[in-house]
Every structure is written in structure tokens, then in C-alpha cells.
Amino acid sequence: MRRFLRLLARPELGALVAAVVIFGFFLAVAPSFRSFAAFSTVLYQSSTIGIVAVGVGLLMIGGEFDLSAGVITISAGLVNSMFCWYLGVNLWAGAALSLAFCLLVGFLNGWLVMRTGIPSFLVTLGTFFVLQGANLGVTKLVTGSVSSRDISAIDGFTSLRAVFAWSFALGAATVWITVLWWALFVALAAWTLQRARAGNWIYAVGGAADSARAVGVPVVRTKIALFMTVSFLGWFVGMHLLYRFNTLQAGNGVGNEFLYIIAAVVGGTLLTGGFGNAFGVAIGAFIFGTTSLGIVYAGWDPNWFKAFLGVMLLLAVLVNTYVKRLSSSAPAAAAPAAGPPTPVPAASGKEGGRD
């Protein structure tokens, strides 16, 4: 009985069951969905959402939101592209500048949230509009249109494409490197949450920030680091988009922030923070990829996809609330599923006192 309760209290259990049911459903109704080529396409679609969703999930476990996570992927690519195209410098220099820019945005988001006390929803909503406007305005100012120039002839393109947008054939399927990067980021996030002191801090600041601060957890630094993690992963996806397609539309990326949040929530992450894990977020992203492409392979109207997302989100919230109550009623059995039960103090009392 104890083992059964522990299994039921795992955040990702509901998402895993849903993923199996949805995948099996599309296998049954869409014959073209049954090929390995289709499966590799699903994995690619899932990875482009799942990479950023990992960071968003960690941030939500830490009790915060980032509504700029979608548009910053385009900002990252535009900074790299326009800087190098306009000045004629190596694309590696632009990629480094773009990374610095994204990390600065993440730092400012976290710093403003922690130092002003303004909810992260409002702070990052402001960042969202700033980046969206800047993407369109600056791109049109530099290039004369709302799309960046083709960068495939600039030095460094081939090597950067090998890092961010390489692919290889596996039979009749094409496997993109983003799938491998996604798996790596999920594994790293899972290890951090379950094995590292930083993971204990993330659960602590999301569940009870004041109590965590009282025992020496660096709350401010932890949350700022989470915002910067989201921005880093947004930069990573932005680099993939740029080096796969050579050019970017400045208006893209809007709305993806909700897909990241939905993937996290469907994967068992609570909107209130302090509960969830990386594998659940990955399963949520896989459900997104399966559904978005399964509808196409089945020959249905793709407009139904948004309706499905809404239903899935509502059901996920209900299931997550039930799982959280179940884990609270049997804390001894369920605690390892959601995360460490008690915060680990910081290395020094002085560090915790500053936060």
C-alpha cells in the first residue's frame, strides 16, 4: 500500500498515462503516424518546445513565471543575425553577444521580481512587450523589413549549424540534434532537482520562501538563477531556429510562452510552486508534439489543437491538485516524488542572511 501511494503521488504519473493514451490513439486513427519518420518528427517538435519548457518548469517549481520565454527565443536569434550581418563579423561573436544579452534579460527579470516584490507575471509581461516591440522595430530599422537577412554566407555559420541545427538520417527518418540536447537538458535538470543542493533550494523557495530564507537558503540568488536558466534555454532554441532556417521573422515566438507553461503543468508542475519534476515536463512537451502532429497526420482541422490544449490544461490542473493532496496525506511515502522534504542550509550563514 505504501509503495502504491508513493507511485500515485509522483507528479509525472498522470502525464505519462495521458501520453500513452494519446500516442496510442493517433497510432490507431492515423496510419501515416505509425512510421519511424513520423515518430522522429514528433520528437523534433517536442524538443523545440521541451528545451525551454525544462527551464520554465524549474522556474515554476521555484514559484515564479516567465512570460517573456517565448519571444526571447526570437530576440536571441535576431541579436546574433543582425549584429553580424550589419558589421560583417564572425557569427560566433554574435552568438556570444546574444547569449550575454539573454542572460542579462533573465538577470533583470529575476532582480526586479526579488527587489521590488512585483509579481513575476507582471514583470515578465512587461519584458515580453519590450522584447516584442524591439524585435519588430529594430529589425525593420536595420533590414528595412520584419525579417532578418540570410546569414548562411557569413563566417562561422557551418560550425554553429553543426552545434545547434545538425541532423542525420536514420533509415527513412531525420533525427535533429535538438532531440539529443533536449534529452541532455532534461537529465541535467532531473539530476539537479533530485541529487544536488541547488535542487533542494528550488523546491524550498517555491514551497515556502520565508521558511527557506530562515534556514539559510539563498532565495534571491536561487530565483535569479532560475530566470537566467530560462533565458539561456531560450537563447539555445533561438540559435537552433536561426541556424536551421538562416533567417527569422521578427514577429514569431509570441504565444510560445503559454506552450511552455502548459507543458510544465501537464507534466505535473503546480502553479503554486514547490512541486513537480523535469521528467514530467518532458512528458508534457511530448504530449504537445504528439497532439500537434497527430492531428495533422489524422487529416483533421488543425484549429482543434488549441481547443485540445485548453481541455488538457484544465484536466492537468485538476489532476495535479488531487496528486498534491494525496502526497500531503501520505508525506512519508510521497516526499521523494516531488522533491527533498526539507531545505538544505546554504554553505554559510552569511550567504543566507543577505537573501
Side-chain angles (χ1 to χ4, degrees):
M1 185 64 179
R2 178 187 179 93
R3 183 174 298 177
F4 178 70
L5 288 175
R6 181 175 179 177
L7 178 63
L8 285 181
R10 294 196 64 86
E12 73 276 21
L13 179 62
L16 180 60
V17 173
V20 172
V21 171
I22 292 171
F23 192 78
F25 172 77
F26 283 114
L27 283 177
V29 302
S32 58
F33 193 74
R34 300 167 191 166
S35 66
F36 180 68
F39 181 67
S40 67
T41 305
V42 168
L43 288 180
Y44 171 70
Q45 182 81 347
S46 303
S47 69
T48 58
I49 294 298
I51 289 175
V52 184
V54 170
V56 170
L58 292 176
L59 182 64
M60 290 175 63
I61 293 173
E64 306 293 347
F65 293 92
D66 189 347
L67 296 182
S68 66
V71 74
I72 202 172
T73 61
I74 304 302
S75 299
L78 291 175
V79 169
N80 188 177
S81 174
M82 290 191 294
F83 174 77
C84 296
W85 176 81
Y86 189 77
L87 297 180
V89 300
N90 191 289
L91 287 168
W92 280 98
L97 177 66
S98 176
L99 175 58
F101 169 78
C102 291
L103 291 178
L104 177 62
V105 171
F107 173 82
L108 289 176
N109 280 340
W111 184 84
L112 285 172
V113 169
M114 298 309 299
R115 292 305 181 189
T116 66
I118 300 175
S120 56
F121 177 89
L122 294 177
V123 171
T124 58
L125 181 62
T127 306
F128 163 83
F129 283 115
V130 170
L131 292 177
Q132 182 188 18
N135 287 352
L136 292 167
V138 175
T139 302
K140 192 169 184 179
L141 181 65
V142 173
T143 68
S145 68
V146 293
S147 62
S148 63
R149 300 299 187 186
D150 191 321
I151 60 168
S152 58
I154 301 177
D155 290 343
F157 179 83
T158 302
S159 56
L160 280 163
R161 169 170 275 190
V163 174
F164 296 106
W166 176 67
S167 65
F168 61 94
L170 190 61
T174 299
V175 179
W176 289 90
I177 195 172
T178 51
V179 176
L180 305 180
W181 282 116
W182 178 37
L184 177 63
F185 289 136
V186 170
L188 181 60
W191 179 85
T192 300
L193 286 174
Q194 298 299 327
R195 301 295 181 185
R197 174 178 291 182
N200 211 343
W201 290 348
I202 292 170
Y203 282 112
V205 300
D210 291 337
S211 299
R213 184 180 289 107
V215 297
V217 172
V219 176
V220 172
R221 291 198 323 180
T222 299
K223 292 203 174 190
I224 289 177
L226 290 174
F227 278 103
M228 294 178 71
T229 298
V230 173
S231 293
F232 167 75
L233 294 174
W235 168 81
F236 199 95
V237 170
M239 293 298 97
H240 166 71
L241 296 175
L242 176 62
Y243 292 103
R244 180 184 175 185
F245 300 109
N246 307 345
T247 183
L248 292 174
Q249 293 292 322
N252 287 350
V254 177
N256 284 354
E257 59 279 353
F258 296 113
L259 299 181
Y260 306 145
I261 292 173
I262 290 173
V265 173
V266 169
T269 305
L270 286 183
L271 295 171
T272 53
F275 192 81
N277 64 40
F279 291 121
V281 177
I283 295 172
F286 179 75
I287 290 175
F288 166 85
T290 300
T291 306
S292 61
L293 291 175
I295 288 175
V296 174
Y297 281 116
W300 300 344
D301 184 352
N303 292 318
W304 285 104
F305 174 63
K306 294 294 179 67
F308 172 81
L309 283 181
V311 173
M312 188 168 59
L313 178 62
L314 291 174
L315 290 176
V317 171
L318 293 174
V319 171
N320 292 348
T321 301
Y322 172 76
V323 170
K324 179 61 176 176
R325 289 175 180 171
L326 182 65
S327 66
S328 299
S329 65
T342 56
V344 175
S348 66
K350 185 181 293 185
E351 181 184 34
R354 284 198 303 269
D355 291 325

